[in-house]
Amino acid sequence: MKKKINRQLMFLSSMAIVITLLLMAVVFYRLFQAQVMEDLRIYAQALADGGTMAADEMQDVVSDAAADDMPDAESDAGAVKNYAYIDRYSQGRENVRATVITPEGEVLYDSNADIGGMDNHAGRPEVAEALREGEGRSVRQSSTMQRSTFYYTILLPDGNVLRVARESHSIWSILYRSLPAILAAVCAILALCVFLSRYLTASLVAPIGRLVEDMDHIGEKEIYEELLPFAKTIRTQHDAIVRNANMRQEFSANVSHELKTPLTAISGYAELIENGMAVGQDAVRFASEIRRNANRLLMLINDTIRLSELDVQDREIPFEQIDLYEIARDCVEMLQLRAKEREVDLRLEGGSVMVQGDRQMLEELLYNLCDNAISYNNAGGFVVVSVEDANGRRTLRVQDTGIGIPKECQERIFERFYRVDKSRSKSTGGTGLGLAIVKHIVAVHRAGLTLVSEPGEGTTITVTF
């Protein structure tokens, strides 16, 4: 995680540096262009103003010469036409080139070149723009991309165009010359970014590390507010895992203990018969005990396997429309003989109620509830199984007049192998897994389960679909 954060921070820093340098180069070059153009504009305006003054002076000279019939008056007028005044006003500006162009594109004057071999300039963008709008400007780069030429044009009063030009380094040339300084700055910034990224990464990860080290005191740790729900969820899952592990460990210990009791009895009775110590009626009694403990062992194994099957969360169980009253009637009929043996009156009340569920599971649920109600009842007591649908609440209720469950035991009654009266449970032949199976089946059907009980008065268990 730290390496990934470091890499991402370094990548973002590098990109930010490169983009910033490029933007700065572009901005500074644009400012440089604007400054050069402004200088050329001022210079062109000075030339234009100077030319106007020179033309006025020359016109006076021509007028005087004409009045005195001086022969050199025509040549002096030609000097004005040839814009010789530009030489006088461009003294000391060797890096600036001045050119005068007619509206037709003919070059009348150029301060740096012989106008005899120059081509027509009518197609130059800065000239066309000056003729159209009064002034124009453009920048052209050389083929080597090392130099740029800046052009500024202004329309003179006589209709011709004055163009001033200046050469300067291009943006690429400037960047190339600045490359050593840029690289040094980039290296220094990257070194600082490496240090800062490691520091920031350590600071970011530190609260998570403290959280991992001690999950039991989440509220006391300095962690990010955004991590609190996540941390609480992890803590809840951690507690659930620990609880499940403890339950499984307890379950394994209970299974081992429950299996050990009938196996010990079977082994002891079998040893007595093997050594010839059981004859006649004793042999019959020992064989009966062996059979009884073997049956108890089979019941334990079957219930344990059934719980393991119900523990599988991701299996799909096909539900169907089932008449709950019909299942309850079959269960009551099946357990009537057992109820009579224990002198318990077993009755069914209610009517047809349709639910979505698994038939085998619902039969098992009813059997376990009714068998418990009979086993933990008193002689002369009763068990009432009722199925009803009241205002959309489809309920199955099993009520008995048995020994009841103390308040402190009611929360644990659905745990595996938990028994309120251990001695009575052993005498009735229960495995201690019946109500645990009931709880699982109720959960699979997403039903509600409530228990109301008072010691000595009986118990009522209600399942709401």
Side-chain angles (χ1 to χ4, degrees):
M1 182 178 178
K2 289 184 177 180
K3 290 182 179 179
K4 186 175 181 180
I5 294 176
N6 272 323
R7 286 197 301 267
Q8 291 179 345
L9 286 176
M10 289 304 302
F11 174 75
L12 291 175
S13 300
S14 302
M15 292 298 296
I17 292 170
V18 172
I19 292 173
T20 301
L21 288 175
L22 291 175
L23 287 176
M24 288 176 62
V26 171
V27 170
F28 288 148
Y29 190 69
R30 287 187 178 275
L31 291 174
F32 173 71
Q33 281 185 323
Q35 184 61 47
V36 171
M37 283 295 181
E38 180 64 17
D39 291 344
L40 290 177
R41 186 189 69 81
I42 294 173
Y43 182 59
Q45 192 65 49
L47 287 179
D49 293 342
T52 302
M53 293 172 60
D56 292 341
E57 292 173 1
M58 190 59 68
Q59 186 61 42
D60 292 339
V61 172
V62 171
S63 298
D64 293 341
D68 297 335
D69 295 327
M70 295 179 63
D72 57 345
E74 185 177 352
S75 60
D76 289 338
V80 176
K81 183 178 180 182
N82 291 329
Y83 296 93
Y85 67 88
I86 294 178
D87 286 331
R88 182 168 33 147
Y89 285 93
S90 60
Q91 294 291 329
R93 296 201 179 246
E94 295 84 0
N95 62 336
V96 178
R97 179 181 178 182
T99 308
V100 179
I101 306 161
T102 67
E104 292 77 22
E106 179 185 356
V107 178
L108 298 179
Y109 172 82
D110 192 289
S111 62
N112 288 11
D114 183 11
I115 63 174
M118 299 184 71
D119 57 356
N120 190 283
H121 281 45
R124 304 296 170 88
E126 66 275 6
V127 175
E129 187 177 359
L131 291 171
R132 185 175 63 253
E133 299 181 8
E135 65 174 359
R137 60 189 69 196
S138 68
V139 180
R140 287 195 284 278
Q141 293 182 339
S142 65
S143 58
T144 60
M145 304 291 287
Q146 295 299 313
R147 307 282 298 179
S148 295
T149 304
F150 296 80
Y151 295 96
Y152 182 84
T153 54
I154 188 171
L155 186 63
L156 296 174
D158 59 3
N160 293 328
V161 175
L162 171 64
R163 184 182 73 177
V164 291
R166 177 182 174 183
E167 282 193 351
S168 180
H169 295 290
S170 68
I171 184 171
W172 306 111
S173 176
I174 295 172
L175 286 175
Y176 180 76
R177 292 188 175 190
S178 306
L179 192 60
I182 292 174
L183 289 177
V186 168
C187 291
I189 295 173
L190 284 177
L192 180 62
C193 288
V194 170
F195 172 76
L196 290 177
S197 67
R198 290 185 176 180
Y199 174 76
L200 290 174
T201 301
S203 301
L204 288 170
V205 177
I208 301 176
R210 290 194 294 268
L211 183 65
V212 173
E213 291 173 2
D214 187 5
M215 291 287 296
D216 296 327
H217 302 87
I218 292 177
E220 302 172 8
K221 297 291 181 182
E222 293 182 4
I223 62 173
Y224 302 116
E225 182 179 352
E226 294 81 3
L227 283 178
L228 279 175
F230 174 74
K232 290 179 180 178
T233 301
I234 295 294
R235 173 63 188 275
T236 302
Q237 292 178 349
H238 172 73
D239 292 343
I241 291 171
V242 172
R243 185 169 60 251
N244 289 335
N246 292 334
M247 288 176 61
R248 289 181 182 278
Q249 186 176 4
E250 184 181 355
F251 177 68
S252 300
N254 288 333
V255 168
S256 300
H257 177 73
E258 294 292 338
L259 293 176
K260 183 179 178 181
T261 302
L263 283 173
T264 302
I266 291 171
S267 177
Y269 288 128
E271 185 179 358
L272 291 174
I273 295 174
E274 180 184 18
N275 293 331
M277 299 178 65
V279 294
Q281 289 299 318
D282 286 340
V284 174
R285 183 170 60 85
F286 290 168
S288 175
E289 288 296 326
I290 290 174
R291 181 184 60 79
R292 187 177 66 83
N293 281 282
N295 288 336
R296 175 172 171 74
L297 190 60
L298 285 173
M299 289 175 60
L300 278 169
I301 292 172
N302 288 333
D303 285 351
T304 303
I305 292 173
R306 186 60 178 148
L307 272 176
S308 299
E309 292 175 350
L310 292 172
D311 275 339
V312 178
Q313 300 291 333
D314 56 351
R315 65 193 183 104
E316 293 186 3
I317 302 172
F319 281 5
E320 58 179 319
Q321 280 286 105
I322 297 172
D323 190 340
L324 199 58
Y325 184 83
E326 179 184 331
I327 294 178
R329 183 187 60 207
D330 295 341
C331 181
V332 168
E333 291 176 358
M334 179 175 59
L335 289 174
Q336 281 294 349
L337 181 60
R338 175 170 168 76
K340 288 179 180 179
E341 289 177 354
R342 300 194 62 85
E343 300 179 12
V344 173
D345 181 18
L346 179 59
R347 305 193 294 265
L348 175 64
E349 296 179 352
S352 177
V353 173
M354 304 302 293
V355 296
Q356 283 281 339
D358 180 82
R359 178 175 293 274
Q360 180 184 353
M361 287 187 181
L362 292 178
E363 289 175 350
E364 197 170 1
L365 178 142
L366 268 160
Y367 178 86
N368 282 312
L369 289 178
C370 293
D371 184 62
N372 260 25
I374 294 170
S375 298
Y376 293 93
N377 214 317
N378 299 311
F382 64 85
V383 175
V384 179
V385 180
S386 60
V387 180
E388 59 183 8
D389 186 351
N391 299 324
R393 293 175 61 85
R394 291 157 293 178
T395 58
L396 166 66
R397 184 176 296 106
V398 178
Q399 181 181 5
D400 65 63
T401 56
I403 62 173
I405 304 169
K407 293 289 185 183
E408 63 272 14
C409 298
Q410 291 181 12
E411 290 186 2
R412 301 191 59 191
I413 197 65
F414 293 98
E415 294 180 9
R416 302 171 184 188
F417 294 113
Y418 185 82
R419 297 183 178 91
V420 178
D421 187 344
K422 294 180 174 57
S423 59
R424 180 157 184 164
S425 179
K426 293 291 180 68
S427 65
T428 60
T431 63
L433 296 174
L435 290 181
I437 292 174
V438 167
K439 182 180 177 181
H440 275 71
I441 294 174
V442 169
V444 168
H445 286 78
R446 298 181 180 178
L449 181 64
T450 57
L451 181 145
V452 178
S453 183
E454 290 291 337
E457 296 183 9
T459 302
T460 300
I461 296 179
T462 305
V463 180
T464 305
F465 295 88

